[in-house]
Amino acid sequence: MSALVACAACARTFPLTSAVVECPCGGLLEVRQCPAEHGRRLRERFDRRRVRDATGAGSGVWRFRELLMPGRVAPVTHPEGNTALYRRQAVSRYAGIEDLCLKHEGENPTGSFKDRGMTVAVTQAVRAGASAVACASTGNTSASMAAYAAQAGLPAFVFVPCGKVAAGKLAQALAYGARTLLVRGDFDACLRLVREASQALGMTLLNSVNPWRLEGQKTIVLELLQQRGWDPPDWIVVPAGNLGNTSAFGKALREALDLGLIRRMPRIASIQAAGAAPFQRSFRGGFRRRYRVEAETVATAIRIGDPASFDRAVRAIRETRGVVAAVTDREILEAKAVVDGAGIGCEPASAASVAGLRKLVRQGIVKKGHAVVAILTGHVLKDPQTVMDFHLGASRRANAPVEIEASVAAVERLLSRARRQGHGP
Ligand code: F0G
């Protein structure tokens, strides 16, 4: 098995153990593996490991290690992955798709999909001799990096936009012991600063421009294909901000097809918030131009105006005959209430996938008979404030708490009202 790290822009290559995470030319790096096995044999190897993983000991990331990080490594792992695929009638009905599964990446150890990329990128940072790690974040990357850096015993510096990070995420970064810098500026400013600071000060950058992050995030797709017996869905729908996931999904699908793990290419639908939709704007213009916008959305995780993995994501959409859509904050919050109300729960950015799917079905782009997997990227408790604001607000789906006297009669009144209505709020 051979492998290397290569620049997509200038074609320069680096050895696997190199500490480099960005090409000096400014281009994006990618890891290229050449596994010794392919097709049925590789599928069977992954499937054997999955059976053993049922004991609870295994990682849903490192199970696919031949496609991530070749050679003998000692992974920094919690473990992570092994997230469920849910079917819920209420969500299916809302989206207008009968064959709909929700893959809940909020079930990862720090409550978001970021753990899949972080276990690989921190393992690589340790292998390359890092002395400190750093990232810019809208919250989840910093929570994840803080946890994995703590496990690896590395000092961690997180750069987050002051006042724009959900409470659960900020609390995690502090709890796991990362040095947390509240930058006066938005996420795009944080990313510019951390890129410059990590270059100048010799910290290892762990944003998704780091190609090892994407290797780990590929396993969202590999795992969902495996859960479906390697029968690909027609569509995979994913929320999009900095475009790391969209890029990783494209790479995973390309490799899965090339290696004969699957026989047909699913299509990617990448969903942005309307107030932070530079990629969707580019898509509408056939990707002839790259846009940068001032981002604003209730879904703070994807409040990003200048996505770093733009070029890789364009390739992912083109190669999968994918689409990019945008949904309003209202649509996001309504879809979130449906996912939450089905007993699953997710953070606002995650619900963009369900809101986007509903829109694409109504536009006739995704057909009612298609098989769809929508990704929920983060846990409902990441952003409790948005949940409270919604349920204390005016939406007909709002479920405000009720203050009562400490008496059975007061409870009875509410119970009989609930019975008359026949269902919950
Ligand atoms: N969903 C959630 C919950 C996220 O936290 C993010 C990104 C995305 C979707 C978008 O994924 O960037 O790969 O397109 N969060 C990053 C962070 C930016 O810093 O936590 P993407």
Side-chain angles (χ1 to χ4, degrees):
M1 181 160 45
S2 61
L4 48 79
V5 178
C7 176
C10 74
R12 186 169 162 189
T13 63
F14 303 86
L16 274 187
T17 47
S18 161
V20 66
V21 298
E22 290 193 278
C23 186
C25 85
L28 294 168
L29 295 179
E30 91 176 7
V31 185
R32 294 190 190 145
Q33 302 89 347
C34 206
E37 288 176 331
H38 59 273
R40 190 162 54 87
R41 290 186 64 150
L42 195 52
R43 278 199 304 263
E44 285 172 358
R45 178 181 291 275
F46 295 154
D47 290 349
R48 276 196 303 276
R49 284 190 194 134
R50 184 174 177 217
V51 173
R52 260 183 275 137
D53 284 359
T55 61
S59 161
V61 172
W62 294 98
R63 184 191 312 152
F64 303 103
R65 57 182 169 265
E66 286 80 0
L67 304 190
L68 315 176
M69 182 176 280
R72 280 192 161 274
V73 288
V76 181
T77 173
H78 264 242
E80 47 293 303
N82 293 313
T83 58
L85 278 182
Y86 293 109
R87 288 180 185 275
R88 290 291 181 273
Q89 274 231 324
V91 186
S92 277
R93 222 179 300 122
Y94 183 73
I97 292 288
E98 205 171 300
D99 188 356
L100 171 62
C101 287
L102 304 171
K103 184 158 180 66
H104 204 338
E105 288 298 301
E107 294 174 352
N108 275 291
T110 75
S112 84
F113 71 92
K114 305 287 182 182
D115 296 336
R116 291 184 183 263
M118 209 50 81
T119 178
V120 179
V122 170
T123 298
Q124 173 67 11
V126 170
R127 168 160 91 157
S131 60
V133 292
C135 72
S137 182
T138 54
N140 282 323
T141 300
S142 56
S144 181
M145 188 188 81
Y148 282 84
Q151 189 175 347
L154 284 170
F157 284 76
V158 310
F159 295 63
V160 295
C162 190
K164 293 293 180 185
V165 177
K169 306 174 189 183
L170 192 57
Q172 284 179 293
L174 302 175
Y176 300 137
R179 237 307 150 235
T180 302
L181 313 177
L182 306 176
V183 179
R184 297 186 198 109
D186 58 10
F187 169 82
D188 304 292
C190 292
L191 185 57
R192 280 193 299 275
L193 176 60
V194 77
R195 283 174 115 161
E196 222 177 291
S198 51
Q199 276 281 335
L201 307 173
M203 299 182 286
T204 299
L205 182 66
L206 289 184
N207 278 99
S208 55
V209 290
N210 179 324
W212 297 100
R213 282 273 313 277
L214 299 200
E215 292 310 298
Q217 286 171 211
K218 288 190 317 195
T219 65
I220 302 172
V221 163
L222 295 172
E223 191 174 84
L224 79 82
L225 292 172
Q226 184 175 42
Q227 285 166 307
R228 293 177 51 93
W230 303 102
D231 175 25
D234 296 297
W235 289 91
I236 300 174
V237 189
V238 63
N242 214 21
L243 301 178
N245 254 355
T246 301
S247 306
F249 285 23
K251 189 168 190 282
L253 290 171
R254 190 187 320 135
E255 291 172 357
L257 198 65
D258 286 351
L259 289 167
L261 295 177
I262 52 172
R263 284 167 197 272
R264 117 191 122 76
M265 188 67 124
R267 301 176 72 182
I268 294 177
S270 209
I271 315 294
Q272 298 209 285
F279 190 53
Q280 184 253 356
R281 195 168 162 201
S282 279
F283 171 77
R284 280 203 333 243
F287 291 130
R288 275 181 292 279
R289 270 195 64 188
R290 177 173 179 171
Y291 294 95
R292 293 169 177 82
V293 304
E294 282 276 314
E296 193 49 86
T297 167
V298 69
T300 51
I302 50 176
R303 188 174 174 276
I304 294 172
D306 184 15
S309 284
F310 180 88
D311 293 341
R312 297 164 168 160
V314 169
R315 183 174 175 200
I317 295 297
R318 286 202 170 124
E319 289 185 352
T320 65
R321 294 190 307 118
V323 299
V324 187
V327 287
T328 63
D329 281 2
R330 210 190 147 109
E331 289 168 324
I332 287 174
L333 290 176
E334 190 182 84
K336 174 174 153 54
V338 173
V339 174
D340 291 356
I344 292 179
C346 65
E347 69 165 279
S350 307
S353 59
V354 172
L357 175 61
R358 175 181 161 97
K359 188 164 192 169
L360 291 169
V361 171
R362 289 180 161 196
Q363 290 172 343
I365 295 168
V366 176
K367 308 288 182 218
K368 284 189 185 307
H370 279 163
V372 181
V373 177
I375 312 298
L376 301 177
T377 43
H379 197 279
V380 64
L381 289 177
K382 287 279 189 174
D383 188 351
Q385 192 58 52
T386 300
V387 177
M388 294 312 294
D389 291 348
F390 181 84
H391 288 292
L392 294 173
S395 164
R396 69 180 176 86
R397 293 179 196 272
N399 175 31
V402 190
E403 191 176 326
I404 60 163
E405 293 303 328
S407 76
V408 173
V411 180
E412 194 196 3
R413 269 196 300 280
L414 291 168
L415 182 62
S416 49
R417 195 182 311 156
R419 282 186 173 139
R420 269 201 310 281
Q421 289 168 348
H423 53 75

